[in-house]
Amino acid sequence: SDPTAQLVVKDFSIAPMHAIIWNEKGKYWVKDLNTIEGSYLNGRRLSEVPKEITIEDSLLFVASQIT
């Protein structure tokens, strides 16, 4: 795992660097890191274009869902 990662999901079906989530000015953002399997926000596939996320959102990384 990456020593800079603050959230580690131990699931071997997920790419080692699958997506990035960060805080900017009090808002949280997510973007896919161009993975083959993709990342999903509320059922919609993410791209490399950042999307704002909130506590009500659901993220899906292949077979692992974080709610």
Side-chain angles (χ1 to χ4, degrees), residues 4-64:
T4 63
Q6 294 181 2
L7 172 65
V8 177
V9 178
K10 293 186 178 187
D11 183 331
F12 295 108
S13 68
I14 299 174
M17 293 295 290
H18 202 94
I20 185 169
I21 301 170
W22 73 98
N23 181 294
E24 185 176 311
K25 298 180 182 177
K27 295 182 178 182
Y28 286 90
W29 300 84
V30 63
K31 72 175 182 175
D32 185 71
L33 294 178
N34 200 27
T35 58
I36 293 170
E37 300 87 358
S39 303
Y40 296 81
L41 173 62
N42 301 323
R44 301 181 106 173
R45 188 169 179 148
L46 291 169
S47 66
E48 292 182 28
V49 176
K51 296 288 184 186
E52 184 179 353
I53 56 174
T54 68
I55 192 75
E56 293 86 17
D57 290 321
S58 177
L59 294 170
L60 177 66
F61 305 112
V62 184
S64 295

